[in-house]
Amino acid sequence: MNGPLTVAAPAKLNLFLHVGDKRGDGYHDLESLVAFAACGDEIALESHDDLFLTVDGPFGVGVPTGEDNLALKAAKLFAERTGAAGGARISLRKNLPVASGLGGGSADAAAVLRGLTRLWQRELNRNELCRMAASLGADVAVCLDSVTAWMEGRGECVRALPPLPRTGVLLVNPGVPVPTAQVFAALGVRRGLNLRAPKSGFEDVHTLVRYLRETTNDLEAPAKTVAPLVGELLQVMNALPDVLLARMSGSGATCFGLFANEYVASAAARLLRTRHPQWWIVESTFTDGS
Ligand code: C5P
């Protein structure tokens, strides 16, 4: 092989997230429309005698490189289950803020599973791969394919949906890491589970936004108690020119804004950067497939 094998780990967005009851395993049942943005972490894999991880990139400082990193944990599990004898050098470029509701760690783990399948030429059957992904974390299964999906269960029941219409997407993180478990622990009122997956795709961004207006992210309220800056961020994003919808993703603190196209999203990004130069602000689009 010439050079390392590269795998994208796109940012996950929960366009809505309804939380149901707490289950026996300590997790909550969910229903969520999950989309992926055309930005994310990057993984490079090279054959090596040992199996190890290096991390760099704008958000790489302080990211663990041992087994408490989900990407390395995923690699070890994959090696164990497939009986692969070789090693790999896994280089992770962390472009996404950590503990930010964008599923970065989950996307990294899923990208490692996809990449090692190719590097080591060891294929697990689909069910086994999905089970392995789900055992690593609630969001890992949906990141295996990184396509628009309907998510249920604690996150492990994933059904692909048609690609989303052209949309300008703005991602903003105010720089506070928000641990998912803390947000779930602060959960009070929740909408509960009451939707079915849409039968067909959304015609255009306005149809999508009309649909999303009937939904919520049940984790927004508890995230605001854990990180009050989330409330301020949402107010700022809702006041942006041409924004069609602003909402938090996952357990926060990253919020996304949806716009008619990428040009108005970019204009909003420029405006926001002048007012909040310390925030992480990225304009993007939806993507299907990494
Ligand atoms: O699986 P993951 O590590 O992403 O989940 C982090 C924490 O978020 C879990 O330990 C749990 O407290 C909470 N969680 C939950 N229900 C879910 C997903 C996550 O309660 N469906």
Side-chain angles (χ1 to χ4, degrees):
M1 189 180 302
N2 295 325
L5 189 158
T6 56
V7 197
K12 169 226 65 166
L13 291 173
N14 298 92
L15 297 186
F16 79 81
L17 179 57
H18 295 165
V19 182
D21 293 332
K22 193 167 183 178
R23 310 151 24 135
D25 61 5
Y27 280 77
H28 292 77
D29 273 320
L30 308 173
E31 66 188 12
S32 181
L33 175 56
V34 179
F36 288 86
C39 62
D41 292 341
E42 295 156 85
I43 301 268
L45 300 168
E46 285 170 283
S47 294
H48 199 279
D49 291 341
D50 302 318
L51 180 58
F52 66 103
L53 172 72
T54 62
V55 182
D56 67 2
F59 291 98
V61 176
V63 171
T65 55
E67 269 197 63
D68 37 358
N69 189 307
L70 216 50
L72 189 62
K73 205 167 157 189
K76 294 217 160 153
L77 196 58
F78 187 81
E80 199 181 291
R81 295 278 168 83
T82 58
R89 175 199 168 106
I90 306 170
S91 313
L92 164 59
R93 186 161 178 79
K94 200 84 203 138
N95 297 318
L96 299 175
V98 177
S100 69
L102 295 174
S106 305
D108 299 341
V112 163
L113 295 179
R114 282 199 308 274
L116 289 180
T117 301
R118 285 164 55 198
L119 186 77
W120 289 340
Q121 302 194 346
R122 295 288 171 130
E123 194 115 15
L124 286 175
N125 78 45
R126 181 73 193 175
N127 283 344
E128 214 178 329
L129 189 66
C130 290
R131 265 202 308 279
M132 183 190 294
S135 76
L136 288 163
D139 278 340
V140 183
V142 77
C143 293
L144 274 178
D145 291 329
S146 304
V147 298
T148 308
W150 185 259
M151 180 201 252
E152 287 181 359
R154 68 177 214 185
E156 80 284 14
C157 306
V158 175
R159 187 151 28 117
L161 294 178
L164 292 168
R166 179 184 179 191
T167 304
V169 180
L170 182 63
L171 303 177
V172 186
N173 184 281
V176 259
V178 180
T180 303
Q182 261 184 45
V183 175
F184 273 99
L187 186 66
V189 181
R190 55 196 164 75
R191 156 108 177 215
L193 310 185
N194 44 23
L195 286 185
R196 283 174 195 279
K199 286 208 171 60
S200 54
F202 299 95
E203 200 174 294
D204 57 25
V205 64
H206 301 285
T207 322
L208 170 66
V209 167
R210 263 199 305 280
Y211 172 86
L212 292 177
R213 282 197 195 290
E214 302 297 316
T215 64
T216 58
N217 181 345
D218 287 349
L219 297 181
E220 257 181 34
K224 284 178 195 169
T225 66
V226 173
L229 205 48
V230 170
E232 188 194 322
L233 172 57
L234 279 168
Q235 261 180 12
V236 169
M237 290 188 72
N238 272 307
L240 285 171
D242 301 314
V243 70
L244 301 173
L245 181 95
R247 181 168 283 174
M248 191 181 83
S249 176
S251 53
T254 306
C255 294
F256 61 87
L258 302 185
F259 295 81
N261 57 55
E262 51 276 39
Y263 306 110
V264 273
S266 286
R270 282 195 296 276
L271 180 70
L272 208 49
R273 280 190 195 106
T274 61
R275 294 183 185 162
H276 297 277
Q278 75 284 19
W279 288 357
W280 178 78
I281 300 166
V282 170
E283 57 267 62
S284 190
T285 52
F286 292 133
T287 180
D288 261 272
S290 42

